[in-house]
Amino acid sequence: MEEHDRVTTEATGRQAAAHATAQEAAAQATAQAAVPSGIPSLDVRDVTVRFAGLTALDAVSFTVRPGTVHALIGPNGAGKSTCFNVLSGVCRPAAGSVRLGKHELTGLPPHRIAGLGVARIFQNLALPPHATVEDCLLLGRHRLTRAGFLAAGLRLPSAAREDRRHRERVREIAAFVGLERQLDRPAGSLPYGQQKLAELARALCMEPRILLLDEPVAGMTAAERRRTAAVVAGVRDSLGISIVLVEHDMGVVMRLADAVTVLDFGRRIADGAPADVQNDPAVVRAYLGERADPEETAS
Amino acid sequence: MSEVLTRDETGSAPRPARRRTIRLPGARTAIGAAGAVLLLALPFYVDRFWLEAGLFAMAAAIGAIGLNLLTGATGQLSMGHAFFLAVGAYGYCVFAADGGDGLTGLGLPTWLAAVLAVAVSGIAGGLFSPIAGRLRGAYLGIATLALIFIGQHVLFNARDLTGGFNGRDVPPLSLFGLTFDDRELLVAAVPFGSAEKLWYVGLLLLLGCGLFARGVLRGRPGRAMNAIRDHRIAAGVIGVPVARYRAAVFVLSSMYAGLAGVLLALVFQRTVPDYFGITLSLDYLAMIVIGGLGSVAGAVVGAVFVSLLPQLLTRYSDTLPLVSDPGMGGIAPGEAARYLYGAAVVAVVLFLPGGLVRVAARLRVKPRPGATPGEER
């Protein structure tokens, strides 16, 4: 717990270091005043995405309340990853809006959305195989650091100081997820579960206000699942940030989620507390097919 | 959880590994120091031919470092590197010449002309950067082909600036009252001509460029560049402004090419448009592939290999089988060199992904598995 508290306070202090545009500075100022209580809510309103005739998302709406874990579930092809692509700016919706506090996210390029404190891990690993884990995590510090080509090339003292400070922070975050021993190993040499953890750590290195987790425990062993679920719960409890979770493992979803939105063929078919959603006939139908008896399948 | 714990215990192996890395730099600095002394002493012992070959390799190495930043580290293919070399070479001539030969010349101090030539290459890269920022990988390679064609057209036809087909003379560099021309200067009873004097300029420039590029690659920009190469979409989501970085790296790489162009012009003492064709761009790509993509050492090794090979073959054409002097019916040394490094590119891609520097790295790492058995237990 002590560890977690330090993570929080450090987060506030560090965030003062960075920023170029006034907008970012403003966003940062609110973050600084606010951690952990002032995490903005994420409002997704009537988002529609079409790919050449196929409607991947059809007027989907949901709200992620500050400091909660919001799960996004549904069968394969339901539009969960598309939804994440909209939230992180990779994909522009044909209609609808996504608002983080007072910022409209649709139409912003991905790096600006990252600048507002939205971090994401990918369903398929996106770690450079040869770089060390430490370098991977330092990449997560990109938006919080300043050193440009000139400062890095000439090894200016300011760049060296910044580098040292952020390496220290990276070590703390690695310890938080349990990877401090692996920092100088190439990321590609780690077992799959640890690579997923490294990616989670990299997202945490961005000091996010909203964390988007795309299947964080997929392909993990039971022990790794427990470990990851504990880290995710720890992140929510200690950092107070909001988490949007896409996951097929219902055990993890039910254990972690405060609210669940269910998608099927790009449409929202249910939204609410985990227990309610679990018993929703529409959800059961989507997962198990037609005319199932809700009483039997809910368990 | 238990798995994490066991890993923690076995993970205590890094300690012996660390002791090993402390000892290694000792050997490395010794080799480095010996190499430095050798390089510094060369002008006193070897003749002009070797010095010019070496200078040519240094210039190529600077250009290759620039291309490796763009293509190796950021994954952006460029076929237009020769264009920026030409901008540097001709830019230097235009700024430094006094106009005595009837061509445009601003008559600026030569050191300033060199700096301006590099700046102009950067500006040329900057003008192309709206395109360089938007296109990725191979698509940029195709777009930069246009630069070669435009460049060749301009070089042949803007006679006032470039001297047309015959090219133009390059004014010798002069620094702190020392002119790097062929007037001989006796240093320790060794006559110093332009090659001897330029040798030290070349070494200094290469060292500076190499260290700068290494700093960039190991620092924050390098991590962002590699992220763009490996996972472009993820890089953006992590907060790297992808287009801005691509454009910035393109400018930086053009400036390296410009500096390489200036140095080449000073070594050749004459610039001709034919040289800056598409083959030159391909030579540079061959350098970084053979040497090793994405690293400074790779660029330097590749540049030395590709630029010394034809010179060596020319020098020893009479003793080598199949190779003969140009015009004697056999394979000319230039052609033979092309075949050889063509084969080298294929061999490297097939058997040595990572280039020649990987061989060195592999030799250095080899003792490791035996020394730290505990790590894998």
Side-chain angles (χ1 to χ4, degrees), chain A residues 199-230:
Chain A
E199 197 156 347
L200 176 59
R202 179 173 70 186
L204 289 177
C205 281
M206 295 168 65
E207 311 288 358
R209 298 193 287 165
I210 305 270
L211 191 54
L212 309 178
L213 304 178
D214 201 345
E215 304 200 13
V217 305
M220 284 186 167
T221 63
E224 286 169 339
R225 275 165 196 254
R226 271 200 303 281
R227 169 89 195 152
T228 308

PDB file of all heavy atoms in Angstrom, chain A residues 199-230:
ATOM      1  N   GLU A 199       3.686  -4.349 -21.100  1.00  0.00           N
ATOM      2  CA  GLU A 199       2.878  -3.395 -21.851  1.00  0.00           C
ATOM      3  C   GLU A 199       1.960  -2.600 -20.921  1.00  0.00           C
ATOM      4  O   GLU A 199       1.774  -1.398 -21.076  1.00  0.00           O
ATOM      5  CB  GLU A 199       2.072  -4.126 -22.926  1.00  0.00           C
ATOM      6  CG  GLU A 199       1.553  -3.178 -23.954  1.00  0.00           C
ATOM      7  CD  GLU A 199       1.264  -3.841 -25.286  1.00  0.00           C
ATOM      8  OE1 GLU A 199       1.684  -4.990 -25.504  1.00  0.00           O
ATOM      9  OE2 GLU A 199       0.601  -3.208 -26.096  1.00  0.00           O
ATOM     10  N   LEU A 200       1.435  -3.293 -19.936  1.00  0.00           N
ATOM     11  CA  LEU A 200       0.611  -2.606 -18.931  1.00  0.00           C
ATOM     12  C   LEU A 200       1.458  -1.572 -18.182  1.00  0.00           C
ATOM     13  O   LEU A 200       1.036  -0.432 -17.948  1.00  0.00           O
ATOM     14  CB  LEU A 200       0.023  -3.639 -17.962  1.00  0.00           C
ATOM     15  CG  LEU A 200      -0.797  -3.099 -16.792  1.00  0.00           C
ATOM     16  CD1 LEU A 200      -1.981  -2.281 -17.292  1.00  0.00           C
ATOM     17  CD2 LEU A 200      -1.299  -4.241 -15.910  1.00  0.00           C
ATOM     18  N   ALA A 201       2.692  -1.968 -17.852  1.00  0.00           N
ATOM     19  CA  ALA A 201       3.579  -1.041 -17.141  1.00  0.00           C
ATOM     20  C   ALA A 201       3.893   0.175 -18.009  1.00  0.00           C
ATOM     21  O   ALA A 201       3.949   1.299 -17.526  1.00  0.00           O
ATOM     22  CB  ALA A 201       4.877  -1.750 -16.758  1.00  0.00           C
ATOM     23  N   ARG A 202       4.078  -0.069 -19.309  1.00  0.00           N
ATOM     24  CA  ARG A 202       4.367   1.052 -20.204  1.00  0.00           C
ATOM     25  C   ARG A 202       3.193   2.033 -20.234  1.00  0.00           C
ATOM     26  O   ARG A 202       3.378   3.243 -20.227  1.00  0.00           O
ATOM     27  CB  ARG A 202       4.660   0.548 -21.618  1.00  0.00           C
ATOM     28  CG  ARG A 202       4.951   1.676 -22.581  1.00  0.00           C
ATOM     29  CD  ARG A 202       5.404   1.175 -23.920  1.00  0.00           C
ATOM     30  NE  ARG A 202       4.325   0.525 -24.643  1.00  0.00           N
ATOM     31  CZ  ARG A 202       4.466  -0.107 -25.800  1.00  0.00           C
ATOM     32  NH1 ARG A 202       5.661  -0.186 -26.347  1.00  0.00           N
ATOM     33  NH2 ARG A 202       3.445  -0.676 -26.403  1.00  0.00           N
ATOM     34  N   ALA A 203       1.976   1.473 -20.253  1.00  0.00           N
ATOM     35  CA  ALA A 203       0.801   2.343 -20.223  1.00  0.00           C
ATOM     36  C   ALA A 203       0.756   3.125 -18.911  1.00  0.00           C
ATOM     37  O   ALA A 203       0.435   4.313 -18.892  1.00  0.00           O
ATOM     38  CB  ALA A 203      -0.469   1.513 -20.400  1.00  0.00           C
ATOM     39  N   LEU A 204       1.117   2.468 -17.805  1.00  0.00           N
ATOM     40  CA  LEU A 204       1.126   3.165 -16.515  1.00  0.00           C
ATOM     41  C   LEU A 204       2.199   4.250 -16.483  1.00  0.00           C
ATOM     42  O   LEU A 204       2.036   5.269 -15.818  1.00  0.00           O
ATOM     43  CB  LEU A 204       1.367   2.180 -15.372  1.00  0.00           C
ATOM     44  CG  LEU A 204       0.220   1.243 -15.051  1.00  0.00           C
ATOM     45  CD1 LEU A 204       0.625   0.278 -13.953  1.00  0.00           C
ATOM     46  CD2 LEU A 204      -1.021   2.034 -14.646  1.00  0.00           C
ATOM     47  N   CYS A 205       3.291   4.026 -17.230  1.00  0.00           N
ATOM     48  CA  CYS A 205       4.359   5.027 -17.286  1.00  0.00           C
ATOM     49  C   CYS A 205       3.869   6.333 -17.897  1.00  0.00           C
ATOM     50  O   CYS A 205       4.491   7.371 -17.741  1.00  0.00           O
ATOM     51  CB  CYS A 205       5.537   4.505 -18.100  1.00  0.00           C
ATOM     52  SG  CYS A 205       6.566   3.381 -17.164  1.00  0.00           S
ATOM     53  N   MET A 206       2.766   6.290 -18.615  1.00  0.00           N
ATOM     54  CA  MET A 206       2.229   7.518 -19.194  1.00  0.00           C
ATOM     55  C   MET A 206       1.471   8.345 -18.155  1.00  0.00           C
ATOM     56  O   MET A 206       0.941   9.388 -18.482  1.00  0.00           O
ATOM     57  CB  MET A 206       1.304   7.186 -20.368  1.00  0.00           C
ATOM     58  CG  MET A 206       2.036   6.542 -21.529  1.00  0.00           C
ATOM     59  SD  MET A 206       0.907   5.830 -22.748  1.00  0.00           S
ATOM     60  CE  MET A 206       0.088   7.301 -23.373  1.00  0.00           C
ATOM     61  N   GLU A 207       1.415   7.878 -16.921  1.00  0.00           N
ATOM     62  CA  GLU A 207       0.648   8.521 -15.846  1.00  0.00           C
ATOM     63  C   GLU A 207      -0.754   8.853 -16.340  1.00  0.00           C
ATOM     64  O   GLU A 207      -1.165  10.003 -16.358  1.00  0.00           O
ATOM     65  CB  GLU A 207       1.336   9.812 -15.368  1.00  0.00           C
ATOM     66  CG  GLU A 207       2.806   9.687 -15.053  1.00  0.00           C
ATOM     67  CD  GLU A 207       3.103   8.903 -13.780  1.00  0.00           C
ATOM     68  OE1 GLU A 207       2.143   8.488 -13.113  1.00  0.00           O
ATOM     69  OE2 GLU A 207       4.285   8.701 -13.482  1.00  0.00           O
ATOM     70  N   PRO A 208      -1.481   7.814 -16.772  1.00  0.00           N
ATOM     71  CA  PRO A 208      -2.760   8.075 -17.436  1.00  0.00           C
ATOM     72  C   PRO A 208      -3.862   8.460 -16.458  1.00  0.00           C
ATOM     73  O   PRO A 208      -3.761   8.214 -15.247  1.00  0.00           O
ATOM     74  CB  PRO A 208      -3.079   6.727 -18.083  1.00  0.00           C
ATOM     75  CG  PRO A 208      -2.450   5.739 -17.191  1.00  0.00           C
ATOM     76  CD  PRO A 208      -1.217   6.385 -16.634  1.00  0.00           C
ATOM     77  N   ARG A 209      -4.899   9.077 -17.015  1.00  0.00           N
ATOM     78  CA  ARG A 209      -6.111   9.333 -16.240  1.00  0.00           C
ATOM     79  C   ARG A 209      -7.188   8.323 -16.630  1.00  0.00           C
ATOM     80  O   ARG A 209      -8.094   8.043 -15.864  1.00  0.00           O
ATOM     81  CB  ARG A 209      -6.590  10.756 -16.491  1.00  0.00           C
ATOM     82  CG  ARG A 209      -5.537  11.766 -16.022  1.00  0.00           C
ATOM     83  CD  ARG A 209      -6.103  13.132 -15.960  1.00  0.00           C
ATOM     84  NE  ARG A 209      -6.283  13.661 -17.306  1.00  0.00           N
ATOM     85  CZ  ARG A 209      -7.023  14.730 -17.564  1.00  0.00           C
ATOM     86  NH1 ARG A 209      -7.665  15.342 -16.596  1.00  0.00           N
ATOM     87  NH2 ARG A 209      -7.123  15.185 -18.785  1.00  0.00           N
ATOM     88  N   ILE A 210      -7.077   7.838 -17.865  1.00  0.00           N
ATOM     89  CA  ILE A 210      -7.956   6.758 -18.328  1.00  0.00           C
ATOM     90  C   ILE A 210      -7.067   5.674 -18.911  1.00  0.00           C
ATOM     91  O   ILE A 210      -6.171   5.968 -19.695  1.00  0.00           O
ATOM     92  CB  ILE A 210      -8.894   7.232 -19.460  1.00  0.00           C
ATOM     93  CG1 ILE A 210      -9.688   8.460 -19.036  1.00  0.00           C
ATOM     94  CG2 ILE A 210      -9.796   6.103 -19.913  1.00  0.00           C
ATOM     95  CD1 ILE A 210     -10.985   8.174 -18.377  1.00  0.00           C
ATOM     96  N   LEU A 211      -7.310   4.446 -18.516  1.00  0.00           N
ATOM     97  CA  LEU A 211      -6.498   3.351 -19.011  1.00  0.00           C
ATOM     98  C   LEU A 211      -7.400   2.423 -19.822  1.00  0.00           C
ATOM     99  O   LEU A 211      -8.429   1.968 -19.336  1.00  0.00           O
ATOM    100  CB  LEU A 211      -5.909   2.617 -17.806  1.00  0.00           C
ATOM    101  CG  LEU A 211      -4.830   1.581 -17.999  1.00  0.00           C
ATOM    102  CD1 LEU A 211      -3.660   2.141 -18.780  1.00  0.00           C
ATOM    103  CD2 LEU A 211      -4.359   1.089 -16.638  1.00  0.00           C
ATOM    104  N   LEU A 212      -7.030   2.186 -21.081  1.00  0.00           N
ATOM    105  CA  LEU A 212      -7.816   1.290 -21.923  1.00  0.00           C
ATOM    106  C   LEU A 212      -7.085  -0.040 -22.018  1.00  0.00           C
ATOM    107  O   LEU A 212      -5.967  -0.109 -22.524  1.00  0.00           O
ATOM    108  CB  LEU A 212      -7.972   1.885 -23.328  1.00  0.00           C
ATOM    109  CG  LEU A 212      -8.465   3.332 -23.440  1.00  0.00           C
ATOM    110  CD1 LEU A 212      -8.518   3.751 -24.903  1.00  0.00           C
ATOM    111  CD2 LEU A 212      -9.835   3.491 -22.800  1.00  0.00           C
ATOM    112  N   LEU A 213      -7.700  -1.094 -21.509  1.00  0.00           N
ATOM    113  CA  LEU A 213      -7.046  -2.402 -21.506  1.00  0.00           C
ATOM    114  C   LEU A 213      -7.750  -3.337 -22.475  1.00  0.00           C
ATOM    115  O   LEU A 213      -8.906  -3.707 -22.260  1.00  0.00           O
ATOM    116  CB  LEU A 213      -7.069  -3.007 -20.100  1.00  0.00           C
ATOM    117  CG  LEU A 213      -6.446  -2.166 -18.987  1.00  0.00           C
ATOM    118  CD1 LEU A 213      -6.583  -2.882 -17.643  1.00  0.00           C
ATOM    119  CD2 LEU A 213      -4.990  -1.875 -19.279  1.00  0.00           C
ATOM    120  N   ASP A 214      -7.047  -3.706 -23.547  1.00  0.00           N
ATOM    121  CA  ASP A 214      -7.642  -4.597 -24.536  1.00  0.00           C
ATOM    122  C   ASP A 214      -7.165  -6.020 -24.253  1.00  0.00           C
ATOM    123  O   ASP A 214      -6.035  -6.383 -24.555  1.00  0.00           O
ATOM    124  CB  ASP A 214      -7.222  -4.151 -25.937  1.00  0.00           C
ATOM    125  CG  ASP A 214      -8.167  -4.683 -27.004  1.00  0.00           C
ATOM    126  OD1 ASP A 214      -8.944  -5.607 -26.683  1.00  0.00           O
ATOM    127  OD2 ASP A 214      -8.132  -4.188 -28.134  1.00  0.00           O
ATOM    128  N   GLU A 215      -8.014  -6.825 -23.662  1.00  0.00           N
ATOM    129  CA  GLU A 215      -7.708  -8.208 -23.293  1.00  0.00           C
ATOM    130  C   GLU A 215      -6.378  -8.346 -22.548  1.00  0.00           C
ATOM    131  O   GLU A 215      -5.452  -8.986 -23.041  1.00  0.00           O
ATOM    132  CB  GLU A 215      -7.708  -9.082 -24.546  1.00  0.00           C
ATOM    133  CG  GLU A 215      -9.029  -8.977 -25.285  1.00  0.00           C
ATOM    134  CD  GLU A 215      -9.261 -10.147 -26.231  1.00  0.00           C
ATOM    135  OE1 GLU A 215      -8.521 -11.134 -26.128  1.00  0.00           O
ATOM    136  OE2 GLU A 215     -10.199 -10.076 -27.022  1.00  0.00           O
ATOM    137  N   PRO A 216      -6.286  -7.766 -21.374  1.00  0.00           N
ATOM    138  CA  PRO A 216      -5.008  -7.798 -20.650  1.00  0.00           C
ATOM    139  C   PRO A 216      -4.592  -9.187 -20.184  1.00  0.00           C
ATOM    140  O   PRO A 216      -3.405  -9.423 -19.992  1.00  0.00           O
ATOM    141  CB  PRO A 216      -5.250  -6.876 -19.450  1.00  0.00           C
ATOM    142  CG  PRO A 216      -6.721  -6.876 -19.255  1.00  0.00           C
ATOM    143  CD  PRO A 216      -7.317  -7.034 -20.619  1.00  0.00           C
ATOM    144  N   VAL A 217      -5.518 -10.115 -20.000  1.00  0.00           N
ATOM    145  CA  VAL A 217      -5.102 -11.434 -19.487  1.00  0.00           C
ATOM    146  C   VAL A 217      -5.189 -12.540 -20.532  1.00  0.00           C
ATOM    147  O   VAL A 217      -4.972 -13.697 -20.225  1.00  0.00           O
ATOM    148  CB  VAL A 217      -5.909 -11.854 -18.220  1.00  0.00           C
ATOM    149  CG1 VAL A 217      -5.817 -10.791 -17.158  1.00  0.00           C
ATOM    150  CG2 VAL A 217      -7.340 -12.180 -18.573  1.00  0.00           C
ATOM    151  N   ALA A 218      -5.481 -12.153 -21.796  1.00  0.00           N
ATOM    152  CA  ALA A 218      -5.591 -13.188 -22.832  1.00  0.00           C
ATOM    153  C   ALA A 218      -4.278 -13.932 -22.979  1.00  0.00           C
ATOM    154  O   ALA A 218      -3.214 -13.329 -23.008  1.00  0.00           O
ATOM    155  CB  ALA A 218      -5.973 -12.541 -24.164  1.00  0.00           C
ATOM    156  N   GLY A 219      -4.341 -15.241 -23.037  1.00  0.00           N
ATOM    157  CA  GLY A 219      -3.148 -16.050 -23.267  1.00  0.00           C
ATOM    158  C   GLY A 219      -2.259 -16.221 -22.054  1.00  0.00           C
ATOM    159  O   GLY A 219      -1.144 -16.710 -22.174  1.00  0.00           O
ATOM    160  N   MET A 220      -2.737 -15.798 -20.884  1.00  0.00           N
ATOM    161  CA  MET A 220      -1.894 -15.919 -19.690  1.00  0.00           C
ATOM    162  C   MET A 220      -2.189 -17.216 -18.950  1.00  0.00           C
ATOM    163  O   MET A 220      -3.257 -17.791 -19.083  1.00  0.00           O
ATOM    164  CB  MET A 220      -2.182 -14.759 -18.741  1.00  0.00           C
ATOM    165  CG  MET A 220      -1.573 -13.447 -19.177  1.00  0.00           C
ATOM    166  SD  MET A 220      -1.838 -12.224 -17.900  1.00  0.00           S
ATOM    167  CE  MET A 220      -0.727 -10.934 -18.437  1.00  0.00           C
ATOM    168  N   THR A 221      -1.224 -17.633 -18.151  1.00  0.00           N
ATOM    169  CA  THR A 221      -1.466 -18.769 -17.278  1.00  0.00           C
ATOM    170  C   THR A 221      -2.335 -18.304 -16.112  1.00  0.00           C
ATOM    171  O   THR A 221      -2.501 -17.104 -15.895  1.00  0.00           O
ATOM    172  CB  THR A 221      -0.147 -19.297 -16.699  1.00  0.00           C
ATOM    173  OG1 THR A 221       0.418 -18.254 -15.901  1.00  0.00           O
ATOM    174  CG2 THR A 221       0.828 -19.682 -17.785  1.00  0.00           C
ATOM    175  N   ALA A 222      -2.888 -19.246 -15.372  1.00  0.00           N
ATOM    176  CA  ALA A 222      -3.782 -18.898 -14.273  1.00  0.00           C
ATOM    177  C   ALA A 222      -3.086 -17.982 -13.270  1.00  0.00           C
ATOM    178  O   ALA A 222      -3.662 -16.997 -12.797  1.00  0.00           O
ATOM    179  CB  ALA A 222      -4.270 -20.166 -13.582  1.00  0.00           C
ATOM    180  N   ALA A 223      -1.814 -18.283 -12.977  1.00  0.00           N
ATOM    181  CA  ALA A 223      -1.081 -17.465 -12.004  1.00  0.00           C
ATOM    182  C   ALA A 223      -0.888 -16.045 -12.531  1.00  0.00           C
ATOM    183  O   ALA A 223      -1.062 -15.070 -11.811  1.00  0.00           O
ATOM    184  CB  ALA A 223       0.269 -18.104 -11.707  1.00  0.00           C
ATOM    185  N   GLU A 224      -0.557 -15.961 -13.817  1.00  0.00           N
ATOM    186  CA  GLU A 224      -0.349 -14.641 -14.409  1.00  0.00           C
ATOM    187  C   GLU A 224      -1.655 -13.845 -14.438  1.00  0.00           C
ATOM    188  O   GLU A 224      -1.666 -12.637 -14.236  1.00  0.00           O
ATOM    189  CB  GLU A 224       0.202 -14.789 -15.833  1.00  0.00           C
ATOM    190  CG  GLU A 224       1.659 -15.224 -15.867  1.00  0.00           C
ATOM    191  CD  GLU A 224       2.116 -15.631 -17.254  1.00  0.00           C
ATOM    192  OE1 GLU A 224       1.259 -15.964 -18.114  1.00  0.00           O
ATOM    193  OE2 GLU A 224       3.322 -15.638 -17.486  1.00  0.00           O
ATOM    194  N   ARG A 225      -2.767 -14.552 -14.680  1.00  0.00           N
ATOM    195  CA  ARG A 225      -4.059 -13.881 -14.682  1.00  0.00           C
ATOM    196  C   ARG A 225      -4.333 -13.246 -13.335  1.00  0.00           C
ATOM    197  O   ARG A 225      -4.745 -12.095 -13.240  1.00  0.00           O
ATOM    198  CB  ARG A 225      -5.185 -14.883 -14.947  1.00  0.00           C
ATOM    199  CG  ARG A 225      -5.425 -15.141 -16.384  1.00  0.00           C
ATOM    200  CD  ARG A 225      -6.270 -16.385 -16.557  1.00  0.00           C
ATOM    201  NE  ARG A 225      -6.152 -16.790 -17.927  1.00  0.00           N
ATOM    202  CZ  ARG A 225      -7.139 -16.616 -18.830  1.00  0.00           C
ATOM    203  NH1 ARG A 225      -8.300 -16.131 -18.462  1.00  0.00           N
ATOM    204  NH2 ARG A 225      -6.967 -16.955 -20.064  1.00  0.00           N
ATOM    205  N   ARG A 226      -4.105 -14.053 -12.292  1.00  0.00           N
ATOM    206  CA  ARG A 226      -4.355 -13.536 -10.938  1.00  0.00           C
ATOM    207  C   ARG A 226      -3.482 -12.323 -10.673  1.00  0.00           C
ATOM    208  O   ARG A 226      -3.928 -11.319 -10.157  1.00  0.00           O
ATOM    209  CB  ARG A 226      -4.068 -14.629  -9.906  1.00  0.00           C
ATOM    210  CG  ARG A 226      -5.271 -15.505  -9.599  1.00  0.00           C
ATOM    211  CD  ARG A 226      -5.094 -16.224  -8.273  1.00  0.00           C
ATOM    212  NE  ARG A 226      -3.883 -17.038  -8.247  1.00  0.00           N
ATOM    213  CZ  ARG A 226      -3.785 -18.244  -8.818  1.00  0.00           C
ATOM    214  NH1 ARG A 226      -4.821 -18.760  -9.455  1.00  0.00           N
ATOM    215  NH2 ARG A 226      -2.663 -18.922  -8.758  1.00  0.00           N
ATOM    216  N   ARG A 227      -2.228 -12.459 -11.050  1.00  0.00           N
ATOM    217  CA  ARG A 227      -1.267 -11.389 -10.827  1.00  0.00           C
ATOM    218  C   ARG A 227      -1.721 -10.110 -11.544  1.00  0.00           C
ATOM    219  O   ARG A 227      -1.752  -9.027 -10.969  1.00  0.00           O
ATOM    220  CB  ARG A 227       0.093 -11.849 -11.356  1.00  0.00           C
ATOM    221  CG  ARG A 227       1.148 -10.798 -11.454  1.00  0.00           C
ATOM    222  CD  ARG A 227       1.921 -10.696 -10.168  1.00  0.00           C
ATOM    223  NE  ARG A 227       2.696  -9.465 -10.146  1.00  0.00           N
ATOM    224  CZ  ARG A 227       3.030  -8.840  -9.048  1.00  0.00           C
ATOM    225  NH1 ARG A 227       2.650  -9.294  -7.878  1.00  0.00           N
ATOM    226  NH2 ARG A 227       3.741  -7.758  -9.098  1.00  0.00           N
ATOM    227  N   THR A 228      -2.096 -10.261 -12.835  1.00  0.00           N
ATOM    228  CA  THR A 228      -2.502  -9.096 -13.617  1.00  0.00           C
ATOM    229  C   THR A 228      -3.764  -8.477 -13.054  1.00  0.00           C
ATOM    230  O   THR A 228      -3.884  -7.249 -12.950  1.00  0.00           O
ATOM    231  CB  THR A 228      -2.711  -9.498 -15.087  1.00  0.00           C
ATOM    232  OG1 THR A 228      -1.549 -10.182 -15.523  1.00  0.00           O
ATOM    233  CG2 THR A 228      -2.938  -8.284 -15.962  1.00  0.00           C
ATOM    234  N   ALA A 229      -4.731  -9.350 -12.700  1.00  0.00           N
ATOM    235  CA  ALA A 229      -5.983  -8.828 -12.142  1.00  0.00           C
ATOM    236  C   ALA A 229      -5.699  -8.040 -10.866  1.00  0.00           C
ATOM    237  O   ALA A 229      -6.293  -6.979 -10.625  1.00  0.00           O
ATOM    238  CB  ALA A 229      -6.946  -9.979 -11.854  1.00  0.00           C
ATOM    239  N   ALA A 230      -4.744  -8.543 -10.063  1.00  0.00           N
ATOM    240  CA  ALA A 230      -4.399  -7.834  -8.833  1.00  0.00           C
ATOM    241  C   ALA A 230      -3.776  -6.476  -9.143  1.00  0.00           C
ATOM    242  O   ALA A 230      -4.076  -5.474  -8.495  1.00  0.00           O
ATOM    243  CB  ALA A 230      -3.429  -8.676  -8.000  1.00  0.00           C
TER     244      ALA A 230
END
